[in-house]
């Protein structure tokens, strides 16, 4: 048991290393994951030696992956998993078998490994890092992109496939012949029993527990309950020899439709971030850096070989089985080309059972670690090369074909604002067509019953033509990206000058730029802010009519100020001067209203 002082010292070392290296890596656009890996290498036994026993940290840090899989499960309802079944069990299986076969054959024939070792090497290196891949996609906001969704499906299958692979290693090593059929059956029954406990518990027991905890209104108990669910499930699965991460994923999946989903996610998120960082640091600490100096050509050669084998195979799977375009398939390959955390577990069991010697094991661990370190650099390079290219997205044909009668209104963007506009128009029986570039948003909108929403980029003239914008009376721009709104407004104004445009604006500056285009701009939080102010004034003692009068006065005054500032909005000093003058004028107007009300009472 480590001394209390040593624990405190280790905690300080970990936190200091993360605080120093991660922001630097982010600043250099290398990503947080590479920062954690570098921090681990620096404080590990190979460099500064501040932490001399990385293995003691590894088990705790694995909880980061466990919490990550739980949150993924929370965000993926069973209905959505069923929709993804072809991607998970079709594309995922194809990737593991194809990559595992190619690497295994190479290990057997080229590197002279025994057949059993070659099988473990092939399948182990076919796995990619769930934590690393999803973190990289999340950092770049690509989780909902076509390659992001397919990467998630493949990683999910790999996590499932890791369970039989881990169980298979001792059998391949030839040390489990003494295990009786009865014992194997007993183990299988225990696994099924544990999964049944998680399924039944998640479905029928957890909701009442969370209801009781929520009524107690104690945040710390709520946090403890959330952690208990995750860690309890992970421990139960670990006890019967199943992946802890998969157990946590199953628990999250069962709670995905729960009304406490968002609360659970909020409670777990901070712990997930810290422990995931600790996981990557422990990977960095476990790397035998001395091999990099004693045999640099071998280590770098194996790392590049791993990426050079996996990337084209992933590209092929993405194109042939996943239906991705070229650019998305390349991105999929880059995200998943590195080795994965389950490979560390598989190879460690292989070493313990005599499939690999210590040097080969260290070489594998270092190769996987370096492949992880290269991934952010490859992603950065890919982003630079395709910065100005527009990526077409694989979309089902029925979403692309815009078939509608002549609409009176065309809506661009079916997010929160666009959906409300669509609902009101529909209730008024006013014909409209809606466009969006998110397949998930389109499918969700259509699931509410025949909403005429189609896949299409409103910044492309042929899409506007297909949507019959020229025959519409109004074009409503409701996307949440200000630049997209401005560019769309400019294109519609140029192609269809007779159509009235109403556009969503982020702030006053965007209002001015939209006004330049002859567009009626609506600030996205303006009217809700006025309503909040009105209710606050009433709550503070003003009568309903007084509050209404103040809000109307403010609206009228603000519109005048906006009109005045429009002529000078590109001059910051003049805008500031008019804003200060406007504040003083508004205060005087409110004072005059108050005096008038008091004299009226008198």
């Amino acid at each position: 048991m480590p001394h209390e002082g040593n624990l405190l010292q280790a905690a300080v070392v970990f936190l200091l290393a993360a605080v120093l290296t991660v922001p630097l890596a982010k600043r250099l656009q290398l990503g947080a994951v590479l920062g954690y890996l570098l921090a681990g290498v620096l404080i590990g036994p190979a460099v500064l030696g501040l932490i001399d026993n990385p293995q003691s940290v590894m088990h705790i840090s694995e909880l980061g992956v466990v919490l990550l899989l739980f949150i993924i499960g929370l965000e993926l309802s069973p209905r959505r998993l069923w929709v993804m079944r072809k991607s998970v069990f079709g594309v995922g299986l194809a990737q593991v078998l194809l990559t595992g076969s190619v690497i295994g054959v190479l290990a057997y024939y080229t590197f002279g490994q025994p057949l059993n070792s070659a099988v473990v090497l092939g399948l182990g290196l076919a796995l990619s890092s769930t934590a690393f891949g999803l973190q990289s996609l999340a950092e770049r906001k690509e989780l909902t992109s076509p390659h992001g969704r397919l990467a998630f499906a493949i990683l999910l299958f790999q996590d499932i496939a890791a369970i039989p692979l881990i169980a298979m290693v001792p059998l391949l090593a030839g040390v489990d012949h003494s295990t009786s059929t009865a014992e194997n059956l007993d183990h299988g029954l225990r696994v099924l029993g544990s999964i049944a406990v998680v399924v039944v518990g998640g479905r029928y027991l957890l909701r009442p527990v969370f209801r009781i905890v929520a009524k107690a209104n104690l945040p710390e108990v709520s946090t403890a309950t959330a952690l208990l669910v995750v860690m309890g499930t992970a421990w139960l699965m670990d006890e019967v020899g199943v992946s802890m991460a998969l157990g946590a994923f199953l628990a999250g999946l069962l709670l995905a439709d729960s009304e406490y989903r968002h609360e659970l996610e909020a409670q777990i998120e901070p712990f997930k971030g810290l422990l995931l960082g600790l996981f990557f640091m422990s990977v960095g600490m476990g790397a035998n850096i001395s091999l990099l100096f004693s045999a640099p050509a071998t280590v770098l050669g194996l790392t590049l070989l791993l990426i050079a084998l996996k990337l084209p195979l992933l590209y092929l799977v993405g194109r042939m089985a996943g239906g991705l375009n070229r650019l998305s398939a390349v991105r999929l390959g880059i995200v998943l080309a590195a080795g994965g955390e389950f490979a560390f577990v598989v190879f460690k069991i292989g070493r313990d059972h005599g499939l690999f010697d210590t040097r080969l094991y260290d070489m594998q661990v270092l190769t996987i670690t370096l492949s992880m370190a290269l991934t952010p650099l490859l992603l950065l390079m890919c982003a630079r090369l395709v910065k100005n290219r527009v990526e077409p997205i694989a979309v089902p044909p029925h979403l692309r074909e815009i078939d509608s009668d002549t609409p009176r209104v065309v809506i661009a963007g079916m997010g929160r604002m666009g959906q409300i506009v669509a609902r009101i128009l529909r209730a008024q029986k006013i014909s409209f067509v809606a466009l969006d570039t998110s397949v998930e948003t389109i499918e969700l909108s259509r699931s509410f019953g025949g909403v005429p929403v189609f896949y299409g980029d409103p910044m492309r003239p042929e899409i506007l033509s297909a949507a019959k914008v020229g025959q519409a009376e109004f074009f409503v721009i409701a996307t949440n990206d200000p630049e997209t709104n401005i560019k769309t407004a400019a294109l519609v104004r140029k192609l269809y000058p007779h159509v009235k445009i109403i556009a969503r604006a982020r702030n006053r500056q965007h209002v001015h730029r939209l006004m330049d285009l002859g567009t009626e701009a609506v600030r996205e939080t303006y009217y809700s802010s006025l309503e909040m102010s009105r209710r606050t004034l009433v709550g503070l003692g003003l009568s309903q009519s007084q509050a209404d009068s103040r809000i109307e006065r403010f609206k009228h005054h603000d519109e005048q100020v906006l009109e005045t500032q429009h002529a000078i909005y590109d001059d910051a000093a003049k805008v500031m001067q008019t804003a200060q003058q406007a504040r003083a004028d508004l205060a005087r107007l409110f004072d005059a209203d108050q005096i008038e009300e008091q004299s009226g009472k008198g």
Side-chain angles (χ1 to χ4, degrees):
M1 183 78 180
H3 189 266
E4 189 179 325
N6 292 342
L7 269 176
L8 193 59
Q9 180 187 330
V12 170
V13 168
F14 279 118
L15 292 170
L16 184 62
V19 167
L20 291 176
T21 57
V22 176
L24 179 63
K26 288 276 279 184
R27 185 74 179 262
L28 295 171
Q29 292 187 304
L30 299 175
V33 174
L34 190 54
Y36 284 121
L37 284 172
L38 289 172
V41 170
L42 286 173
I43 64 177
V47 183
L48 298 176
L50 298 175
I51 305 291
D52 53 5
N53 185 15
Q55 293 306 316
S56 62
V57 182
M58 182 64 88
H59 206 64
I60 299 170
S61 69
E62 282 173 8
L63 286 173
V65 183
V66 166
L67 295 176
L68 174 71
L69 265 291
F70 177 73
I71 286 181
I72 290 167
L74 276 180
E75 293 173 352
L76 188 78
S77 65
R79 183 177 59 83
R80 191 175 162 205
L81 183 62
W82 178 250
V83 170
M84 291 177 64
R85 65 191 183 279
K86 288 180 184 174
S87 298
V88 175
F89 298 102
V91 183
L93 178 64
Q95 184 273 327
V96 170
L97 290 179
L98 180 63
T99 311
S101 301
V102 171
I103 296 174
V105 167
L106 193 71
Y108 182 70
Y109 286 106
T110 307
F111 292 96
Q113 291 292 316
L115 182 60
N116 51 1
S117 299
V119 170
V120 174
L121 271 171
L123 292 173
L125 291 172
L127 304 178
S128 306
S129 172
T130 301
F132 192 90
L134 294 179
Q135 186 83 351
S136 298
L137 289 166
E139 278 182 18
R140 287 165 175 77
K141 297 183 173 62
E142 293 176 354
L143 274 169
T144 55
S145 65
H147 70 279
R149 287 197 295 270
L150 193 61
F152 172 72
I154 291 171
L155 288 167
L156 185 54
F157 179 81
Q158 288 180 357
D159 288 338
I160 296 167
I163 301 163
L165 178 57
I166 289 167
M168 200 171 73
V169 174
L171 297 172
L172 285 170
V175 296
D176 257 27
H177 294 309
S178 58
T179 307
S180 67
T181 308
E183 286 176 329
N184 286 331
L185 184 63
D186 179 57
H187 179 256
L189 288 172
R190 281 192 290 127
V191 169
L192 288 173
S194 300
I195 292 173
V197 167
V198 172
V199 170
V200 173
R203 184 66 67 189
Y204 300 109
L205 299 179
L206 288 180
R207 288 190 185 190
V209 169
F210 283 122
R211 198 174 296 122
I212 293 164
V213 170
K215 283 180 181 176
N217 202 24
L218 293 168
E220 64 275 17
V221 178
S222 182
T223 304
T225 309
L227 288 171
L228 177 63
V229 168
V230 184
M231 293 183 184
T233 309
W235 169 79
L236 179 66
M237 290 299 182
D238 194 40
E239 283 293 297
V240 296
V242 178
S243 158
M244 291 193 296
L246 191 70
F249 170 77
L250 193 58
L253 192 67
L254 292 166
L255 289 167
D257 293 327
S258 161
E259 60 271 34
Y260 304 104
R261 178 170 75 87
H262 297 295
E263 175 70 14
L264 278 165
E265 195 169 340
Q267 300 286 4
I268 295 292
E269 190 66 40
F271 296 96
K272 182 211 80 174
L274 276 172
L275 288 168
L276 209 51
L278 185 62
F279 170 78
F280 290 121
M281 288 169 80
S282 68
V283 169
M285 285 189 297
N288 185 356
I289 300 297
S290 61
L291 274 175
L292 195 56
F293 299 104
S294 62
T298 308
V299 173
L300 291 173
L302 287 173
T303 304
L304 293 174
L305 180 63
L306 176 64
I307 292 173
L309 282 171
K310 287 184 76 175
L311 207 156
L313 292 171
L314 283 157
Y315 174 86
L316 188 67
V317 167
R319 290 280 286 160
M320 303 295 288
L324 297 180
N325 59 50
R326 289 177 185 174
L327 185 55
S328 292
V330 169
R331 285 176 169 160
L332 174 77
I334 292 173
V335 168
L336 301 183
E341 56 268 3
F342 282 120
F344 296 129
V345 181
V346 170
F347 293 155
K348 185 175 181 296
I349 296 169
R351 182 196 63 183
D352 294 344
H353 286 89
L355 281 173
F356 316 119
D357 58 33
T358 304
R359 180 180 168 80
L360 180 57
Y361 170 75
D362 287 344
M363 195 75 77
Q364 289 164 345
V365 169
L366 191 56
T367 297
I368 293 167
T369 306
L370 286 175
S371 69
M372 286 182 176
L374 279 176
T375 301
L377 299 173
L378 290 171
L379 282 168
L380 194 62
M381 195 186 304
C382 180
R384 290 275 165 86
L385 289 172
V386 299
K387 195 172 186 180
N388 299 318
R389 286 183 59 181
V390 177
E391 178 186 355
I393 297 173
V395 182
H398 72 281
L399 299 185
R400 281 190 181 278
E401 295 165 4
I402 303 173
D403 53 343
S404 175
D405 296 330
T406 304
R408 294 183 66 188
V409 181
V410 176
I411 305 169
M414 279 295 279
R416 293 167 298 166
M417 291 183 78
Q419 284 174 15
I420 291 170
V421 174
R423 282 167 59 192
I424 292 170
L425 291 176
R426 203 174 180 203
Q428 282 289 112
K429 297 182 174 59
I430 295 170
S431 61
F432 70 92
V433 166
L435 302 171
D436 205 288
T437 54
S438 167
V439 176
E440 288 186 348
T441 300
I442 295 167
E443 288 178 340
L444 180 67
S445 298
R446 287 192 169 201
S447 68
F448 290 111
V451 179
V453 54
F454 304 93
Y455 178 86
D457 184 350
M459 290 189 287
R460 290 172 57 193
E462 65 271 26
I463 296 294
L464 298 178
S465 174
K468 300 179 183 173
V469 174
Q471 298 171 48
E473 296 171 45
F474 279 89
F475 191 90
V476 177
I477 307 172
T479 74
N480 63 0
D481 180 29
E483 284 304 314
T484 299
N485 292 355
I486 290 164
K487 288 175 183 174
T488 303
L491 181 64
V492 174
R493 175 59 65 234
K494 178 185 171 186
L495 297 175
Y496 309 104
H498 63 282
V499 176
K500 298 183 184 75
I501 305 171
I502 300 174
R504 172 181 178 176
R506 177 68 52 84
N507 51 38
R508 296 176 84 89
Q509 196 70 11
H510 293 131
V511 170
H512 293 310
R513 292 175 67 186
L514 288 165
M515 285 169 70
D516 285 343
L517 297 166
T519 299
E520 188 178 336
V522 178
R523 282 171 277 173
E524 56 190 27
T525 57
Y526 182 63
Y527 291 100
S528 53
S529 301
L530 290 178
E531 178 60 18
M532 288 174 76
S533 303
R534 188 184 65 76
R535 294 188 186 193
T536 304
L537 291 175
V538 171
L540 291 170
L542 271 70
S543 68
Q544 195 76 39
S545 61
Q546 286 175 326
D548 290 343
S549 171
R550 297 290 189 281
I551 296 302
E552 280 303 314
R553 171 75 76 185
F554 175 84
K555 277 173 64 179
H556 181 67
H557 178 261
D558 189 61
E559 283 164 12
Q560 288 181 326
V561 172
L562 197 64
E563 199 172 320
T564 305
Q565 288 181 336
H566 182 61
I568 53 159
Y569 74 87
D570 52 353
D571 187 329
K574 286 184 180 177
V575 169
M576 185 66 70
Q577 187 181 346
T578 56
Q580 289 171 350
Q581 182 63 43
R583 277 197 292 273
D585 290 344
L586 186 63
R588 279 196 295 273
L589 287 169
F590 276 6
D591 288 342
D593 285 347
Q594 200 168 353
I595 291 166
E596 190 179 326
E597 286 163 2
Q598 287 172 350
S599 62
K601 287 178 185 176

